[in-house]
Amino acid sequence: MHAVEKILARAAGREEVTTGEIVNCTVDLAGINDLYLQTLRSFAEMGGQKVYDPGKVVMFLDHFAPASTITQADNQKQFRTFCREQGIDLLMDIDQGVCHQVLTDKGLVRPGMLVVVTDSHTTTHGAFGAFGTGVGATDLAIILMTGQLWFRVPEVIRINLKGTLGPGVYAKDVILKVIGTLGADYGVYRAVELAGPLLEGLGVSERMTLCNMTTEMGAKTAYIQPDQVTFDFLQNKKVNLESPGVTTDPGYRYTAEHTFDVTGLKPQLAVPHSVDNVSDITAYLGRPIDQAYLGTCTGGRVEDLAVAARILKGKHVHPGTRFVVVPASKGVFLEAMAKGYIQTLVSAGATFVTPSCAACLGTHQGILAAGETCITASSRNFPGRMGDAGAEIFVASPASVAAAALEGKIADPAQYLGQKEAER
Amino acid sequence: MKGAISGTAFVYGANVDTDQIYPGGYLDLTDPELVARHAMERVDPDFVKEVKPGDMIVAGANFGCGSSREHAAVTLKAAGIAVVLADSFARIFYRNAINLGLPLLVCTGIARLVKRGDLLSVDLATGAVINRTSGATATAEPLSAYVMAILESGGVKPMIRKQRGLPVEG
Ligand code: SF4
């Protein structure tokens, strides 16, 4: 069996599961975010009264943090009341940040767990060897009522990554290349395992970016086999590692395998209007940028702010460009502040937004007007994703975003990152 | 789920994402009537003006990709859509729609056989699709027994109420 099958088997109380079978699993951690008041509605509509196991439920007020409309404020009020009434102590209020980063900062995810959140990027937790998957509001309400949910055991695809990354090239560029090659629907219903020698040299932050972005190829979940890098990171977060997760049986047969050699890879861009519309950055150098956006569960971690600070230290954002920076979480914000990155970026002309999803989903705090062009470290460039449908969105790495903020146009970050390895 | 249903088709391409089906700017709305007013807004601004109860959506691959927002399924159901036929569906959208009792049928190549405004008849139980306007026919993949059980209950909410011995209306 594959590791992800073993996770589902354990959660279903079974010795074995087979690909394609539907199993009822007990969920280890369930998260709700503030877009989905419908979760509480569905819970009530199904006759729910008491949450099955409030200790396993986390409530995130992250997408609308802090509220910008009266409706948002009222929704959040209802969530707080629900948590109080139901004894849900893990309420991550508007000071905490984006759900996936908050779970990571607080060490709530362990290898081998089944994690379900009302958010499509729950695949992120594959970076820790967990089975993370997104569901909608009513599915989550079923978990609130019963502690369980049905899953179809997915086929598993393995993506082998090898080679050496050149200056200015990061995990985000690698995964954009993969998505551009395989397509936005390649991973639908399937689990995507990321493997290969490249991973050994990547930290947890970059592994999270890889797993996070598998959502953009439709993946049900992502998986990276935990190694010493994972365990050291988790130990630092005081995560209980008594059960170190699971491993794939030798000889497991993948549905498909693909190998990507990243040697010589240029920084990548997903160009309007789909994430699999991917090009080398060189084809778009010089395109004027109205807004550069650094943040989100994809590209708002300490390492991402670090590379931006490195590019902008002692310089200033281009006068024709806005540089909006949103640390992914309070933990990220504090660490980046202690390391001086926030001060550097503010001095360089960055506009800071409180840790949250902010403009990533086009609701508030940095949204785009028609005819504007944005380069973003986030995950999506669908029409209207960050504001008006007449805006153009380029998805790129944090380094490419910072280089564009500096130059006011799309630029290759390599020139600013000669000795990148030292900072990794 | 016996017998065929008929309705007029709206036809779209591949990778219609949830931001196009239901823009992020309206995610704080919860009343289905209000949610229905923004259906397909970013892909087809005329949709809400033209759609009638019983109409159908036909699309290419990966319909409903993107975010986990249940609003994307709620808005189509509340707008009166009876069934969506596509080459394939994104996973979370698929679960959300079935949970709400909105049938989705995987029917490869269907978008090439249908033009906007064609009258379709669809048999959910057998997967038989007939384009009454052009005469073309197609066969959709059969729904799994699990999905059929949810649809026959009118969605997962009535199903769970029934399992728990609660009255189903309300
Ligand atoms: S930061 Fe963006 S992608 Fe991540 S959870 Fe928030 S809205 Fe979704």
Side-chain angles (χ1 to χ4, degrees), chain A residues 33 35 62-63 98-100 119-122 124 212 216 293 295-299 328 356-362 378-380 385, chain B residues 67 69:
Chain A
N33 63 49
L35 296 179
D62 56 355
H63 286 63
V98 184
C99 51
H100 306 302
D119 188 87
S120 56
H121 289 98
T122 311
T124 307
N212 173 286
E216 305 315 321
Y293 188 83
T296 80
C297 61
T298 313
S356 63
C357 297
C360 177
L361 75 163
S378 61
S379 54
R380 292 182 173 148
R385 170 71 183 180
Chain B
S67 93
R69 63 190 66 163

Side-chain angles (χ1 to χ4, degrees), chain A residues 45 133-134 137-139 150, chain B residues 28 70 91 95 99 157 161:
Chain A
E45 284 163 20
T133 194
T138 299
D139 272 332
W150 66 271
Chain B
D28 53 359
E70 197 161 297
R91 186 188 71 84
R95 292 186 74 112
N99 280 344
K157 288 177 207 169
R161 287 184 68 88

